[in-house]
Amino acid sequence: VDIIEKITKNPKKPLVAIIGGANSDKIEVIDELLELVDHLIIGGVMANTFLKSKGVNIGQSKFDKESLGKAKQFLHDYGDKIELPIDYVCGEKFDESTKAIVIEQDDDINNLMIMDIGPKTIDKYIDILNKSNTVIWGGPIGVFEFPQFQNGTKQIAQTLANLDIVKVIGGGDSGEAIHELKLENKMTHVSSGGGAFLELLSGNKLPVIEELSKNSKRFK
């Protein structure tokens, strides 16, 4: 709580947020972060949603239909801050046995699913991270549970590990990825909470913390 509040109230700039993962419920977090960050790097299902809102063909990829309108509005209002994939690693089906295929944005993707960011996107994102002083990361960039689609998350994690900046990682799948890569000791903080981490970033209060704070004052 302490470290997230410091970052959201007085971050060392440039501040970069990375939002990925398979969950499609991060649009509120993005809404809050866009006021705060210098760059918002997007991967996972949310990236597909933003790409779809721009009219980009995402083939059979999962996206959040309910967030398309907001994504389009965010691109209009904050287009200079939002960073989206420019190439992808795709598969024919959501399965560990599926073959990884690198696809340029203008290539035929009709029968494929986006499963990770491509090499050009990795270079683009790493360049932004190299110029940052604070990074908040919630959600893997690709389908990290399948080895052939781990590269985007791995490259970003290893880049952050080598940077002498403030690096705060959300729990859940992001924390699991950092743990699996054995990079916890290279980060400023790895949260044990995924949903709670995102709630705080969204500007919401955590009920238990609120009650503990009240009682702390009450029983001093």
Side-chain angles (χ1 to χ4, degrees):
V1 171
D2 184 49
I3 198 162
I4 292 170
E5 285 186 350
K6 280 179 183 174
I7 285 172
T8 52
K9 288 175 182 173
N10 189 29
K12 191 175 180 184
K13 297 273 194 167
L15 168 63
V16 176
I18 307 168
I19 295 294
N23 294 335
S24 57
D25 57 354
K26 296 189 171 98
I27 202 76
E28 284 185 24
V29 183
I30 288 172
D31 193 1
E32 194 71 26
L33 285 175
L34 282 168
E35 290 288 337
L36 186 69
V37 302
D38 297 288
H39 292 279
L40 178 64
I41 290 173
I42 306 182
V45 171
M46 262 299 128
N48 300 341
T49 304
F50 274 81
L51 290 167
K52 179 88 172 173
S53 77
K54 286 178 67 177
V56 174
N57 182 8
I58 60 169
Q60 305 303 309
S61 309
K62 184 180 175 184
F63 68 97
D64 182 20
K65 190 175 182 181
E66 292 182 6
S67 297
L68 284 174
K70 277 196 172 181
K72 193 168 188 177
Q73 187 63 48
F74 291 158
L75 285 167
H76 179 269
D77 295 343
Y78 300 99
D80 57 330
K81 290 186 176 185
I82 297 171
E83 307 293 345
L84 295 172
I86 52 176
D87 62 345
Y88 333 107
V89 182
C90 300
E92 291 183 348
K93 55 185 177 178
F94 194 85
D95 189 276
E96 193 169 358
S97 65
T98 197
K99 182 183 174 185
I101 307 165
V102 177
I103 293 286
E104 299 286 330
Q105 200 163 85
D106 296 329
D107 291 348
D108 180 10
I109 194 179
N110 290 334
N111 299 316
L112 300 174
M113 301 173 70
I114 298 171
M115 310 279 263
D116 196 7
I117 56 175
K120 290 180 181 175
T121 305
I122 289 172
D123 288 345
K124 172 188 172 185
Y125 288 178
I126 285 175
D127 184 56
I128 293 165
L129 295 173
N130 282 332
K131 296 170 184 171
S132 67
N133 279 312
T134 305
V135 175
I136 309 166
W137 186 2
I141 288 296
V143 184
F144 190 77
E145 58 263 42
F146 299 158
Q148 67 273 40
F149 303 113
Q150 290 182 351
N151 194 43
T153 300
K154 276 185 177 179
Q155 293 286 344
I156 285 175
Q158 285 161 356
T159 297
L160 289 177
N162 292 325
L163 293 175
D164 185 20
I165 61 172
V166 176
K167 305 160 276 192
V168 180
I169 315 299
D173 293 335
S174 311
E176 184 61 34
I178 295 298
H179 174 73
E180 194 171 312
L181 295 168
K182 296 181 170 57
L183 294 174
E184 296 106 316
N185 293 337
K186 299 283 188 179
M187 304 301 167
T188 308
H189 179 72
V190 181
S191 174
S192 59
F197 177 84
L198 294 175
E199 281 290 307
L200 277 178
L201 287 182
S202 300
N204 296 324
K205 301 290 186 183
L206 300 183
V208 171
I209 300 297
E210 290 290 287
E211 292 306 314
L212 286 171
S213 297
K214 286 178 190 173
N215 281 298
S216 173
K217 292 169 187 171
R218 182 180 170 193
F219 294 112
K220 256 183 183 173

